[in-house]
Amino acid sequence: MSVRFSDNVSAKAQRDILDLQKKISVFTNGELTDEQFRKFRLARGVYGQRQPGVQMIRIKLPHGRITADQLIRIAEASDKYATGNLHATTRQDIQLHFVKLADSPQLWADLEDANITLKEACGNTVRNVTGSARGGVDPLEPFDITPYAQAIFEYFLRNAICQDMGRKFKIAVSSSEKDSAYAYIHDIGLIPRVQDGKRGFKVVVGGGLGAQPFMAQTAYEFLEADQVIPFTEAVIRVFDRYGERTKRHKARMKYLLNDLGLEGFLAKVEEERPALNAKVFPVDTTAFDLPLFAERPEVSGYQPESTDVQFLEWFNTNVFEQKQKGWYAVQLRVLLGDMSSNTARALAGIVKKYAADDIRVTVNQGYLLRYVSPENLQAIYDELHALGLAEPGFDSAADITTCPGTDTCNLAISSSYGITRALEDMMKVEFKDLIYNNDIKIKISGCMNGCGQHSAANIGFHGSSLKNGAYVLPALQVLLGGGFNSKNEGLIGDKVIKVPAKRGPAVLRALFQDFDANAFDGEYYSDYYARQGKNYFYQLLKPLADLKTVTEQDYIDWDHTEPFVTEVGIGECAGVMIDLVATTLIEATEKLQWANEALEESRFSDAVYHAYNTLITGAKAALMTKDVATNTQHGIVSDFDKHFTGVSGFHTAEGEFKALAFSINKNEPSEAFARQLIQQAGQFLTAVNAYRDHQIMLEGSPALQELVQAQDS
């Protein structure tokens, strides 16, 4: 069935969607390997679930910004193609689950009609650019970061330099020094500053979570705003060139920075400057420099006269006055980040009635509404309350951030949703005042990979398992001391102890009781943890880790009735037999085609980078004919010179291929250079194909090799 497009869908988006439909057809007919298709679809927001035969669709919402009509469109898509649920993520995306693969092109087309994209929402790309949800209304911000986050998103969407990276790349923009977007755990993090009357950012690089978390390092205390996008492009180029590509667990930029050191890394970033498409990139902020509505100082500092206790709790924990005097922002706490399509439509109606058409999905899986008049706060509370969206304690200790865990994820080990419900229920009964505590953040992930950002929490948990004799039970790894301390310094939590999952509420109860009894007045939790030390908390929780006292219930995970079994979800394929060299040469040919298309459209920087990738991929194919293992682009270039100098059909001088490949960072991306490099890349690819044909003529057809699908992550 052909995809139906409205007139609102851009030509670029139509091409992307038709490419997806074509690849689905080719894959279904068995003409495309699972790994090739997986790589393709992930970069288009289509992600395999734990359950076979269905997909998770990740919708890319730059800095979480969405209009009421866009929210309605997503709700309609969920009703038509998914389960009628919208799941907000820690990267300010919205995900739909249980979508049939064949439905994904039309789903995408329906969303693009409302200017919503799936492009590069997953895979080894520049992922969604996150930003403080308070950007533009934050009383603490030096300026609105919204236009800068949007410009970064637009610049790198479909950009040639991030179409074939070795691993994903994440960018965050905070609105103030409080770093509410968690810049310190990102590949690039930006914090706004003003110096000598000029706008700019503190820039940190090389942060990341996962099994081995890294704190980002400071590249610049102040970088002028028009230098941020050029710097980011140069960083991505270095990561692309030197980053690990074979050992997936070592392929994030944090490891490259660790290997090169900050000084060496920044030196390589500077080497990329000649090749940059834009040496400066000023961002047009005029649409954001003035308030949406005139300020109302006469109602600044509003305090309701209501005697409704629930309303007052909500007002004191979920509402704040914007920097625009007399206007108020309303924050919505959403359990598990899940919202039904009917609730989403009703929320869109509330926004149209009472707020500005500028909703923000928050990094803690909630929503923020802007420009609410104080005289409408009671009415908006009443309507939100009727929808179950007026729970007090937004972003408090009682508001847990969590990933979906074993409900849908291939990699999850134990339930995230179940333990989150149990902990929030326990706190609501036993620690009611935690809705007023904004210093403690609790985050949960279903495994060590950290989608729930557990390492960046004051109290974090990630799913695991424990062996007790011949049996296995679901477990929680407890992490403490992450998040922010009283100096607003970002911290990575320590792994303290592992306990049976069913004892999670007892763990949290013990931690809160200990904190209440022994902390100094006003002491931040991470400061308290640092003062007491890791061993203190290990000893505190050790009795709860004692497996001699387990019961039958400890062998059953939250939200389950059957005994726990350690398993990774069903993979997306079995092994397939392919000619790896031929497959790689096909990829190189496709990249050469992209280079020529970019040249025809006068996108000379893109043309140059696609031509460079043609050289790299062709050289990789040639090295595979000699069974030479490769792991970085820089290594491929060096190994090709080593193994193919003097080989008939190629260059004769040592270092000639290196000079050709790395000419990209020594030349301006002009039309003349693009044409020259594309021509050289085409000649090189012809030579590699001829060499391969000659090898087959002498040695016979190659033995097919088994390619085993890796899990999504």
Side-chain angles (χ1 to χ4, degrees):
M1 184 182 295
S2 59
V3 180
R4 302 175 302 279
F5 295 109
S6 75
D7 294 339
N8 295 328
V9 181
S10 70
K12 288 181 179 179
Q14 288 190 32
R15 176 174 175 173
D16 286 338
I17 294 166
L18 292 174
D19 280 350
L20 175 60
Q21 186 183 49
K22 179 181 177 181
K23 282 289 196 297
I24 290 172
S25 177
V26 172
F27 171 71
T28 303
N29 292 335
E31 300 169 30
L32 192 68
T33 70
D34 299 85
E35 177 62 21
Q36 287 174 311
F37 181 58
R38 173 179 177 271
K39 179 179 176 181
F40 178 87
R41 64 171 168 73
L42 283 174
R44 286 145 186 86
V46 183
Y47 193 107
Q49 282 190 201
R50 191 179 189 89
Q51 297 81 5
V54 290
Q55 313 293 319
M56 177 269 282
I57 300 297
R58 182 174 292 153
I59 300 167
K60 196 173 186 180
L61 303 175
H63 49 98
R65 194 172 185 222
I66 187 172
T67 67
D69 284 339
Q70 287 175 327
L71 184 61
I72 292 170
R73 182 59 60 89
I74 295 172
E76 291 172 345
S78 186
D79 281 340
K80 187 173 183 179
Y81 302 107
T83 61
N85 183 66
L86 285 66
H87 176 71
T89 77
T90 56
R91 296 210 60 76
Q92 298 172 287
D93 298 306
I94 289 177
Q95 295 177 172
L96 309 181
H97 291 90
F98 296 92
V99 175
K100 294 178 182 178
L101 180 61
D103 286 340
S104 55
Q106 189 61 57
L107 184 158
W108 188 358
D110 291 353
L111 293 177
E112 283 283 355
D113 178 58
N115 196 30
I116 306 168
T117 191
L118 311 185
K119 182 70 171 175
E120 295 154 36
C122 309
N124 298 333
T125 60
V126 174
R127 296 288 186 88
N128 195 31
V129 177
T130 56
S132 296
R134 291 189 176 200
V137 299
D138 187 349
L140 300 178
E141 68 183 19
F143 55 84
D144 185 3
I145 56 93
T146 302
Y148 300 95
Q150 181 69 29
I152 294 169
F153 159 76
E154 291 176 359
Y155 187 87
F156 291 106
L157 185 69
R158 299 185 177 89
N159 193 308
I161 68 169
C162 48
Q163 297 307 301
D164 191 32
M165 297 199 299
R167 204 67 170 88
K168 57 191 174 185
F169 194 92
K170 296 181 177 180
I171 302 169
V173 192
S174 282
S175 62
S176 75
E177 298 289 340
K178 290 195 71 172
D179 194 13
S180 58
Y182 293 88
Y184 78 98
I185 59 170
H186 284 76
D187 294 292
I188 288 184
L190 303 171
I191 297 173
R193 290 179 172 175
V194 174
Q195 185 172 298
D196 299 327
K198 295 181 179 179
R199 290 182 177 185
F201 293 87
K202 176 182 178 180
V203 182
V204 297
V205 297
L209 297 180
Q212 190 175 0
F214 279 64
M215 293 273 293
Q217 300 180 48
T218 301
Y220 293 97
E221 287 292 345
F222 182 83
L223 183 67
E224 289 192 24
D226 62 4
Q227 289 294 313
V228 166
I229 285 177
F231 173 78
T232 302
E233 178 180 343
V235 166
I236 294 173
R237 284 171 172 265
V238 170
F239 174 50
D240 197 32
R241 190 113 58 253
Y242 296 95
E244 172 68 44
R245 286 173 174 265
T246 302
K247 300 173 183 175
R248 186 172 176 81
H249 65 287
K250 292 287 186 181
R252 292 296 301 275
M253 196 183 84
K254 59 188 180 184
Y255 296 107
L256 176 62
L257 179 61
N258 191 57
D259 290 343
L260 296 177
L262 181 61
E263 184 177 344
F265 180 82
L266 292 178
K268 291 191 179 298
V269 169
E270 189 60 30
E271 289 174 4
E272 297 297 320
R273 183 163 288 277
L276 299 181
N277 188 40
K279 306 302 186 289
V280 295
F281 195 96
V283 173
D284 183 5
T285 65
T286 52
F288 299 90
D289 286 341
L290 296 174
L292 291 180
F293 305 105
E295 293 191 355
R296 305 174 66 201
E298 69 279 3
V299 288
S300 179
Y302 170 77
Q303 290 296 322
E305 297 178 357
S306 173
T307 58
D308 183 340
V309 174
Q310 289 183 311
F311 170 74
L312 292 175
E313 284 182 340
W314 172 83
F315 176 82
N316 290 322
T317 61
N318 292 27
V319 177
F320 68 92
E321 185 173 4
Q322 300 178 183
K323 71 176 185 181
Q324 296 84 8
K325 297 300 182 183
W327 292 104
Y328 293 79
V330 172
Q331 300 167 118
L332 279 55
R333 181 179 165 189
V334 181
L335 178 64
L336 310 176
D338 286 343
M339 181 185 295
S340 74
S341 56
N342 287 336
T343 300
R345 276 187 284 269
L347 175 60
I350 291 173
V351 170
K352 290 182 177 182
K353 192 186 303 185
Y354 298 116
D357 194 14
D358 186 358
I359 309 165
R360 303 291 173 98
V361 181
T362 66
V363 295
N364 66 324
Q365 302 174 292
Y367 293 78
L368 185 147
L369 315 182
R370 299 156 172 252
Y371 287 96
V372 177
S373 175
E375 54 264 32
N376 288 330
L377 285 171
Q378 181 68 57
I380 200 172
Y381 166 79
D382 291 339
E383 294 196 29
L384 290 173
H385 181 70
L387 295 173
L389 294 177
E391 190 73 18
F394 176 85
D395 202 29
S396 68
D399 186 8
I400 298 176
T401 300
T402 184
C403 74
T406 50
D407 279 39
T408 56
C409 179
N410 267 323
L411 298 178
I413 300 171
S414 62
S415 171
S416 297
Y417 276 6
I419 183 60
T420 298
R421 291 189 188 97
L423 294 180
E424 290 203 2
D425 288 346
M426 184 273 290
M427 287 188 286
K428 193 170 185 178
V429 173
E430 300 181 31
F431 300 93
K432 293 179 66 175
D433 287 346
L434 285 177
I435 61 172
Y436 298 104
N437 186 316
N438 296 114
D439 300 330
I440 298 177
K441 301 292 188 291
I442 302 172
K443 300 178 185 291
I444 299 175
S445 300
C447 70
M448 66 180 68
N449 286 308
C451 292
Q453 300 179 339
H454 59 269
S455 294
N458 308 96
I459 300 174
F461 300 93
H462 80 66
S464 189
S465 62
L466 278 169
K467 192 170 184 181
N468 189 25
Y471 300 95
V472 178
L473 60 158
L476 293 172
Q477 175 67 59
V478 182
L479 298 93
L480 300 173
F484 295 96
N485 61 17
S486 59
K487 298 177 182 177
N488 206 56
E489 295 168 331
L491 303 167
I492 298 295
D494 291 332
K495 291 183 178 180
V496 175
I497 198 167
K498 190 185 290 188
V499 301
K502 282 294 179 68
R503 299 181 183 181
V507 167
L508 196 57
R509 183 181 298 113
L511 291 173
F512 284 143
Q513 288 174 344
D514 171 75
F515 184 61
D516 288 343
N518 300 310
F520 299 148
D521 287 344
E523 189 171 23
Y524 274 56
Y525 192 84
S526 291
D527 291 338
Y528 175 65
Y529 172 79
R531 177 166 65 83
Q532 296 284 32
K534 178 179 176 179
N535 186 60
Y536 173 88
F537 289 92
Y538 174 80
Q539 297 299 331
L540 174 70
L541 300 176
K542 187 177 179 181
L544 293 171
D546 186 357
L547 298 185
K548 294 191 293 292
T549 60
V550 296
T551 68
E552 289 186 10
Q553 284 302 307
D554 286 315
Y555 291 97
I556 299 174
D557 202 2
W558 293 101
D559 276 358
H560 289 260
T561 56
E562 74 284 356
F564 176 75
V565 177
T566 304
E567 62 180 358
V568 176
I570 297 171
E572 297 188 50
C573 77
V576 292
M577 304 302 292
I578 64 171
D579 179 350
L580 290 176
V581 177
T583 299
T584 305
L585 286 171
I586 290 171
E587 289 182 14
T589 302
E590 187 176 52
K591 289 168 183 175
L592 184 63
Q593 179 182 342
W594 294 346
N596 280 301
E597 289 172 356
L599 181 64
E600 290 175 6
E601 296 171 5
S602 299
R603 294 184 288 113
F604 304 128
S605 179
D606 287 357
V608 167
Y609 213 82
H610 287 316
Y612 161 76
N613 270 323
T614 302
L615 293 169
I616 295 297
T617 308
K620 179 181 178 180
L623 289 167
M624 291 167 71
T625 68
K626 292 179 176 284
D627 296 323
V628 177
T630 61
N631 65 336
T632 68
Q633 290 185 345
H634 193 272
I636 288 170
V637 172
S638 298
D639 285 341
F640 187 87
D641 270 331
K642 177 181 177 182
H643 291 276
F644 281 87
T645 294
V647 173
S648 176
F650 297 105
H651 56 283
T652 56
E654 186 175 351
E656 187 175 326
F657 181 69
K658 182 177 183 179
L660 172 61
F662 294 156
S663 64
I664 63 161
N665 64 358
K666 297 176 175 60
N667 291 272
E668 298 286 334
S670 64
E671 179 180 1
F673 178 59
R675 289 188 182 280
Q676 175 187 324
L677 194 63
I678 289 172
Q679 181 182 20
Q680 291 170 311
Q683 293 169 348
F684 176 75
L685 190 55
T686 298
V688 174
N689 276 293
Y691 175 83
R692 178 59 169 165
D693 290 343
H694 183 66
Q695 183 186 46
I696 291 174
M697 183 182 69
L698 294 178
E699 302 175 9
S701 297
L704 298 182
Q705 301 180 48
E706 185 175 29
L707 181 69
V708 179
Q709 171 68 41
Q711 298 295 331
D712 280 338
S713 64

